[in-house]
Amino acid sequence: MRVLFLGDVSGRPGRKAVQLWLDEHKGEYDICIVNGENAAAGFGITEKIVKNFVAHGVDAITMGNHTWDRREIFDFIDAYPILRPANYPRGTPGRGFIRIAVKGVSITVVNLMGRIYMECLDNPFVTFDSIYSRFPEDLFIVDFHGEATSEKQAFGYFVDGRACAVLGTHTHVQTADLRLLPGGTLYITDAGMCGALDSVIGMDVKESVERFTKQLPVRFKVPDKPLKIQVCGVSFAVDVEKREVVSFERIRKIYIRGEDGNYY
Ligand code: FE2
């Protein structure tokens, strides 16, 4: 079984990069997961974008601290395979995990959010345990949306041998530590961002630098038709009989805008 996971999709450039990758690799993956919390101009997601992801074969859309940036999400979050972090308090709209049947195997995709330099949600470690205890036979794929490397690494070891994969998101920079942990869990601290390459974590450079030099509030925007866009993520194969990850690779591809406006 082949799995594709793409990191934070940042605005239109990110959506374009994802679309290019999915078109190029049509039919190669049995399950496709993307983090879409920055897909709408960097903040949240719209129903139109969700529909487009689904039409391109995306099976689950994970979110994070930007889940609620577009208030209309409350109207459609239950109608699509969208996951908001599972460790939001009880009663929060939406769901934190989804079970998907692929090739006779039940896969549970879980979205969790870290608590270091982030909102103070419920304990993600405890939340994972409570979900895992309900479906211990499932293959678990976790998007751990967090800022602190230490928290993500600790979580990786905490679920090592129980989760199939722990794929970090949120920092928008792909880390070079994709590996199998001793118990067999595939782990990466951050899968990286899909979006404008020449940007500050997906946002326009000018405004971002201004924010740091002037210390005044600045409205961030996603670069308009950037020269270079990138797709970042992880793909891996699972031997479903043995329940083992048998191969894996980091994905990072850069597309350059041609004179005709298309990316190559
Ligand atoms: Fe985030």
Side-chain angles (χ1 to χ4, degrees):
M1 183 183 68
R2 290 203 63 190
V3 182
L4 175 69
F5 180 87
L6 298 177
D8 300 63
V9 181
S10 193
R12 192 189 298 269
R15 302 196 312 266
K16 183 70 192 170
V18 168
Q19 188 193 320
L20 287 168
W21 183 270
L22 292 177
D23 286 346
E24 277 169 31
H25 298 270
K26 217 170 192 156
E28 285 184 28
Y29 306 107
D30 300 300
I31 179 165
C32 172
I33 304 159
V34 302
N35 183 294
E37 69 144 8
N38 306 118
F43 301 95
I45 199 163
T46 64
E47 187 171 17
K48 191 177 164 195
I49 293 170
V50 171
K51 280 183 174 170
N52 203 268
F53 278 147
V54 172
H56 275 85
V58 173
D59 300 289
I61 301 164
T62 52
M63 302 291 282
N65 52 306
H66 289 291
T67 303
W68 317 113
D69 286 2
R70 309 254 161 187
R71 291 196 58 79
E72 66 259 38
I73 194 171
F74 295 110
D75 300 329
F76 63 80
I77 193 166
D78 292 324
Y80 300 95
I82 301 169
L83 309 182
R84 47 79 176 157
N87 51 327
Y88 268 109
R90 190 184 294 267
T92 300
R95 57 188 150 179
F97 69 90
I98 189 170
R99 298 179 79 208
I100 301 169
V102 181
K103 290 189 168 174
V105 180
S106 183
I107 296 168
T108 295
V109 182
V110 185
N111 190 194
L112 290 166
M113 192 149 84
R115 300 197 296 179
I116 309 293
Y117 306 125
M118 314 260 318
E119 291 162 60
C120 190
L121 303 187
D122 292 346
N123 186 314
F125 293 64
V126 173
T127 302
F128 176 84
D129 270 354
S130 70
I131 299 168
Y132 182 79
S133 66
R134 293 169 61 188
F135 316 108
E137 301 304 317
D138 284 13
L139 282 180
F140 274 71
I141 300 173
V142 182
D143 172 352
F144 195 101
H145 196 78
E147 184 76 39
T149 303
S150 56
E151 190 180 24
K152 292 182 190 175
Q153 285 191 341
F155 182 82
Y157 286 106
F158 178 69
V159 301
D160 186 19
R162 295 190 288 162
C164 176
V166 174
L167 309 161
T169 55
H170 179 66
T171 72
H172 290 205
V173 179
Q174 188 177 74
T175 53
D177 59 345
L178 181 67
R179 68 191 190 279
L180 289 175
L181 300 179
T185 297
L186 182 67
Y187 174 85
I188 189 168
T189 300
D190 209 294
M193 173 204 72
C194 303
L197 180 68
D198 290 309
S199 68
V200 176
I201 61 169
M203 294 305 191
D204 200 88
V205 171
K206 185 173 170 285
E207 283 86 29
S208 299
V209 172
E210 220 171 274
R211 170 88 157 247
F212 285 102
T213 50
K214 296 184 178 163
Q215 298 295 330
L216 291 170
V218 173
R219 187 180 289 270
F220 290 121
K221 64 177 176 54
V222 168
D224 189 33
K225 298 194 181 92
L227 180 62
K228 297 173 187 169
I229 59 175
Q230 67 174 7
V231 63
C232 280
V234 169
S235 73
F236 60 98
V238 183
D239 180 328
V240 293
E241 299 286 309
K242 294 180 180 165
R243 304 175 65 82
E244 277 177 18
V245 175
V246 288
S247 65
F248 52 87
E249 65 172 349
R250 273 191 287 150
I251 293 168
R252 182 166 178 266
K253 181 171 180 182
I254 293 164
Y255 299 94
I256 299 174
R257 179 166 42 79
E259 285 181 3
D260 60 358
N262 293 320
Y263 287 91
Y264 299 95

